[in-house]
Amino acid sequence: MSEKLVVNNFPPIFASQFSPFGLKLESWLRLAGISYRNEWSFRKLGPKGKLPFVATDGKVIGDSELIIQYLAARTGKDPDANLNLDARAEGLMIRRMVEEHFYFVILYSRWQDEAVWPAFSAEVFRSVPWPIRGLIRSKAQKSVLQSIFKQGLSRHEPSEIYGKARADLEALSIKLGSKPYFLGPEPTLTDTSVYGHLANILYQPVTGQLQQEIRKFDNLCDYCDRLKAIWWPKEEGAGGSEAKFIAPDQADVSQRRSA
Ligand SMILES: N[C@@H](CCC(=O)N[C@@H](CS)C(=O)NCC(=O)O)C(=O)O
């Protein structure tokens, strides 16, 4: 890549990248050892109308999975390179469950559950000028609530919604067992996805039922602590709070050291 990768994400809150997909992408970049710099915005929603997206090689690419596929091929840095077909299939199924189902429980727990929403929204919209803060906040909430309703999750009772989350977590806990990572002795793409979603809630200072559900699974909590210590050792939250991360194998390190 000719120029440093630019990662567009939401501004961090609670010292964390609060988009699970954004945290997945940044964690993967650290796992792969690819340098990047962040640009944070609520408004720049990328080529697919979503965050995260990246700009590199004169291209703008949206969707964490497509971005990662592109970068792995482009740089030859692919933590999944040695996985066999069975492990790849298992990883895909785990990511699909976490990203296409558990993610909606995260949305529900933050944007609809009254035990979390007031404190969560106060933090998310803190940087919006106060005369328009209320309007932006309710517009954003309306849009998220519509997406959870259209997906179907919020048509259930709260007890059913958190019951579904518990089932996802139990499945993850069983699959992880006593292994350090989901697919083997080293972390892979799938771990960045699971971490991006679980750590986002586990280390969030606003507690709520979803966090309590995660806390019931010791091996998942230990797993998040383990990955946080590798990828985000200095962060107070789940990670993604630094404006800049320079991979150790990049030339800029020498400039930083001599600065
Ligand atoms: N499949 C996408 C999902 C990205 C996604 O849903 N991003 C959310 C934030 S976590 C977003 O941009 N939402 C804004 C919107 O839908 O308007 C990925 O892997 O990047």
Side-chain angles (χ1 to χ4, degrees):
M1 285 178 289
S2 42
E3 287 170 20
K4 194 178 299 294
L5 180 71
V6 179
V7 176
N8 290 265
N9 257 333
F10 289 112
I13 62 160
F14 303 131
S16 295
Q17 176 45 246
F18 77 99
S19 158
F21 300 99
L23 184 57
K24 166 193 172 188
L25 176 60
E26 284 198 54
S27 298
W28 185 88
L29 290 166
R30 289 177 170 231
L31 171 63
I34 297 173
S35 302
Y36 65 96
R37 70 179 172 83
N38 276 310
E39 278 188 11
W40 291 322
S41 170
F42 279 110
R43 270 168 296 183
K44 279 172 59 186
L45 285 175
K48 310 233 164 139
K50 300 253 181 199
L51 286 169
F53 70 94
V54 300
T56 186
D57 296 336
K59 298 180 207 299
V60 182
I61 310 168
D63 188 276
S64 61
E65 201 92 350
L66 296 179
I67 295 166
I68 288 169
Q69 274 168 17
Y70 176 85
L71 293 174
R74 176 76 176 83
T75 62
K77 296 177 179 181
D78 183 2
D80 289 23
N82 296 324
L83 294 179
N84 63 27
L85 288 179
D86 189 63
R88 281 167 198 267
E90 189 176 336
L92 182 68
M93 289 190 280
I94 292 171
R95 296 199 299 283
R96 289 287 191 264
M97 182 187 77
V98 167
E99 298 181 11
E100 308 296 342
H101 181 261
F102 190 79
Y103 169 67
F104 284 90
V105 187
I106 292 181
L107 289 184
Y108 173 85
S109 77
R110 286 174 162 174
W111 294 78
Q112 191 158 352
D113 187 333
E114 277 303 319
V116 174
W117 167 245
F120 173 74
S121 59
E123 189 68 20
V124 171
F125 298 102
R126 190 182 295 282
S127 60
V128 178
W130 72 263
I132 53 164
R133 192 177 300 159
L135 185 69
I136 301 285
R137 181 179 175 270
S138 56
K139 235 181 118 181
Q141 186 189 29
K142 193 173 166 206
S143 157
V144 174
L145 296 197
Q146 271 174 353
S147 73
I148 315 171
F149 187 77
K150 283 186 183 159
Q151 189 269 352
L153 186 79
S154 60
R155 298 168 199 228
H156 300 297
E157 295 300 319
S159 61
E160 293 168 333
I161 293 171
Y162 287 118
K164 284 171 181 283
R166 197 176 314 123
D168 289 355
L169 291 164
E170 191 170 14
L172 288 174
S173 174
I174 291 167
K175 284 309 283 176
L176 181 64
S178 57
K179 299 195 297 281
Y181 307 110
F182 275 93
L183 304 178
E186 302 296 333
T188 62
L189 164 62
T190 297
D191 296 297
T192 66
S193 171
V194 177
Y195 181 82
H197 289 72
L198 297 194
N200 231 302
I201 296 297
L202 185 60
Y203 303 120
Q204 181 176 278
V206 188
T207 55
Q209 192 169 345
L210 189 55
Q211 190 182 81
Q212 286 160 16
E213 296 297 342
I214 298 173
R215 288 198 182 285
K216 288 178 186 158
F217 297 93
D218 286 347
N219 68 337
L220 296 180
C221 295
D222 292 349
Y223 165 82
C224 287
D225 288 348
R226 197 156 52 242
L227 286 173
K228 178 168 154 48
I230 300 172
W231 293 329
W232 303 102
K234 295 192 207 111
E235 320 303 309
E236 279 175 38
S241 66
E242 282 185 347
K244 210 170 180 185
F245 168 68
I246 311 288
D249 64 339
Q250 301 294 314
D252 312 54
V253 168
S254 56
Q255 287 170 18
R256 267 204 317 177
R257 284 203 182 116
S258 58

